[in-house]
């Protein structure tokens, strides 16, 4: 049963690290002022979560099965959540946030600088538009920056 414990802990650790990477990516997207969407980090997190649940289901754990002092319930989804909450995250190469640190610093530097005359004029023009037209202009600007 020690091999089963080692495999379940490794899968739970991987699941937690993919969850944290996904959340860090969402935070970086929000920091840049963009709308978060489901991306490959989300898909990777879902896959690791499904692997953990499937491994728990396949292990067919007896009632009262313990790993590192916690008792896992027979329900694989509840057991996966409890196990994931218990293990520390693992990142093999670097801290999870460092992948997005460059974008965060760039956003902060751009947000900190005062508006120039042209940007101020744009802001005044937008403020003078009705709300529906202002939303339409902002939506078009966001669409143009994405494509």
């Amino acid at each position: 049963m020690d091999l089963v414990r080692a495999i379940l802990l490794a899968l739970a650790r991987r699941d937690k690290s993919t969850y944290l990477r996904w959340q860090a990516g969402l935070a970086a997207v929000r920091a840049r002022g963009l709308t978060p969407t489901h991306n490959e980090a989300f898909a990777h997190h879902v896959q690791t979560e499904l692997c953990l649940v499937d491994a728990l289901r396949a292990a067919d754990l007896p009632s009262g099965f313990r790993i590192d002092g916690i008792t896992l319930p027979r329900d694989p989804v509840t057991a996966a959540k409890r196990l994931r909450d218990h293990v520390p995250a693992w990142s093999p190469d670097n801290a999870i946030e460092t992948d997005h640190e460059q974008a965060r610093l760039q956003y902060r530097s751009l947000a900190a600088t005062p508006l120039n005359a042209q940007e101020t004029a744009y802001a005044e023009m937008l403020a003078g538009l009705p709300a529906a037209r202002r939303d339409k202009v902002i939506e078009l600007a966001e669409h143009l920056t994405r494509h």
Side-chain angles (χ1 to χ4, degrees):
M1 206 43 103
D2 287 334
L3 181 61
V4 171
R5 284 185 175 92
I7 290 171
L8 292 177
L9 283 172
L11 286 171
R13 201 170 289 120
R14 178 63 69 172
D15 183 33
K16 188 166 188 176
S17 69
T18 59
Y19 173 77
L20 291 175
R21 283 191 184 281
W22 171 49
Q23 292 299 314
L26 285 179
V29 167
R30 286 188 189 107
R32 290 190 298 262
L34 303 174
T35 304
T37 59
H38 292 305
N39 56 12
E40 63 276 353
F42 172 74
H44 189 217
H45 163 63
V46 169
Q47 288 300 318
T48 58
E49 192 169 75
L50 288 174
C51 285
L52 178 59
V53 170
D54 285 343
L56 285 164
R57 189 175 289 130
D60 195 25
L61 303 176
S63 61
F65 184 77
R66 297 179 63 80
I67 294 181
D68 287 351
I70 61 166
T71 303
L72 295 181
R74 302 250 327 144
D75 176 37
V77 175
T78 308
K81 182 180 180 337
R82 189 173 293 169
L83 192 56
R84 186 178 55 243
D85 291 344
H86 173 71
V87 298
W90 175 71
S91 181
D93 44 4
N94 56 6
I96 291 169
E97 292 81 15
T98 58
D99 295 342
H100 308 288
E101 185 65 15
Q102 183 70 21
R104 187 185 72 78
L105 291 175
Q106 182 182 8
Y107 173 79
R108 287 192 62 196
S109 69
L110 288 174
T113 59
L115 296 178
N116 61 29
Q118 184 180 20
E119 292 167 339
T120 303
Y122 288 150
E124 290 169 357
M125 286 178 10
L126 278 174
L129 291 174
R133 297 303 297 166
R134 183 174 48 240
D135 291 345
K136 182 90 173 163
V137 169
I138 292 170
E139 181 181 314
L140 176 62
E142 288 175 350
H143 176 74
L144 291 174
T145 58
R146 281 193 298 264
H147 301 292

